[in-house]
Amino acid sequence: MNDLYTLCFASPVGNIEIKGTDQDIKSVSFMEEERTSGNSLPDVLLQCKQELEEYFAGTLKVFEVALNPDGTDFQKTVWAELLKIGFGNTLSYMAIAKKLNNPGAVRAVGLANGKNPIGVIIPCHRVIGEDGSLTGYAGGLWRKKWLLEHEGNTSGKAPTLF
């Protein structure tokens, strides 16, 4: 097994902790407390931080860093669908379930969305209720609102449901 490295930094939506190996990112999460990072970090963690900083600055809309989240096959399928939601757009849980050819899996999609270990980059914040409401977000609804408004402001349009 590869060593796991940690990089922490401050962002406009609070402290972020990135965990990854020499090759890929395993998690990106919000932290309430500030932490320090290790000294010698793999390039992939530095790339991830750089891409997140560019995202928050409004200059990056598509992440390229290598991802490898741990999860079930179903969760990984849902997360792959999340990666297809374009910057500044939103989808409902039902729409994702339909894209998976399983409209009865709305709750399972919601649970998989909530277990997403790579926040912001795998854009679970772009998933909203069928009625357009902001529903649960592991990082807090205020962060979800901030991220959606940031993307809407940066793209020059309000987030849309399709």
Side-chain angles (χ1 to χ4, degrees):
M1 181 172 155
N2 293 326
D3 289 337
L4 199 60
Y5 300 90
T6 302
L7 186 158
C8 301
F9 72 101
S11 81
V13 288
N15 298 311
I16 292 181
E17 179 182 73
I18 303 167
K19 289 187 178 183
T21 67
D22 288 323
Q23 290 85 34
D24 47 44
I25 300 302
K26 302 301 273 178
S27 71
V28 172
S29 55
F30 298 108
M31 307 303 298
E32 294 307 317
E33 69 280 349
E34 195 171 333
R35 294 186 184 167
T36 57
S37 300
N39 291 331
S40 179
L41 296 170
D43 288 343
V44 70
L45 268 76
L46 300 174
Q47 176 189 353
C48 185
K49 178 186 178 205
Q50 179 66 37
E51 288 185 14
L52 284 164
E53 289 176 334
E54 290 172 9
Y55 167 84
F56 289 122
T59 59
L60 182 127
K61 296 180 181 173
V62 177
F63 292 91
E64 296 181 5
V65 67
L67 307 176
N68 188 13
D70 293 324
T72 66
D73 289 343
F74 180 78
Q75 288 170 335
K76 289 178 181 181
T77 302
V78 171
W79 300 336
E81 284 301 317
L82 299 181
L83 287 167
K84 296 176 187 176
I85 305 172
F87 184 94
N89 293 299
T90 57
L91 275 182
S92 69
Y93 296 96
M94 175 59 83
I96 293 172
K98 287 179 179 176
K99 286 180 175 288
L100 297 175
N101 295 317
N102 193 350
V106 175
R107 286 184 183 207
V109 166
L111 290 172
N113 199 55
K115 295 284 187 185
N116 171 22
I118 303 180
V120 182
I121 298 173
I122 298 178
C124 52
H125 62 277
R126 296 179 187 155
V127 182
I128 61 175
E130 187 73 15
D131 62 359
S133 63
L134 294 187
T135 57
Y137 185 63
L141 283 180
W142 73 271
R143 284 189 177 108
K144 183 173 190 165
K145 184 176 187 292
W146 190 97
L147 293 167
L148 290 173
E149 287 176 351
H150 169 69
E151 292 184 10
N153 293 338
T154 305
S155 66
K157 63 179 182 166
T160 56
L161 176 65
F162 61 91

